[in-house]
Amino acid sequence: PGPRTPDAAWPSVTCVLATRDDPDTVRARVADFLAQRYPPDRLTVVVAVDASAAATLLPALVFDDPRVT
C-alpha cells in the first residue's frame, strides 16, 4: 500500500439511514457505518425514522456514540 492519507485530508461524510419499524436492521446498519475505517471526526450517522413506533429508533441509540444522531 501507498502512504497513508492524513485524516485532515478526508472529506466529512454523513451517512443517512431511513427506516420504518425495523430495529434489527437499524442496529446492524449503524454498526456497519461505525465500523468503517474512516476518520471518526469526519463521520456522522443520521437515523431518520418515518411513521413508525418510537421503539424503532432505540436500537440505534445503544451505540452511545456522538457520531449517531
Side-chain angles (χ1 to χ4, degrees), residues 9-50:
W10 292 76
S12 293
V13 172
T14 300
C15 301
V16 178
L17 173 63
T19 186
R20 185 169 190 245
D21 292 326
D22 195 354
D24 293 333
T25 299
V26 170
R27 185 176 19 262
R29 294 301 72 83
V30 170
D32 289 343
F33 288 138
L34 296 178
Q36 299 298 311
R37 291 179 49 201
Y38 206 83
D41 64 329
R42 304 250 177 223
L43 176 67
T44 302
V45 179
V46 175
V47 179
V49 181
D50 182 27

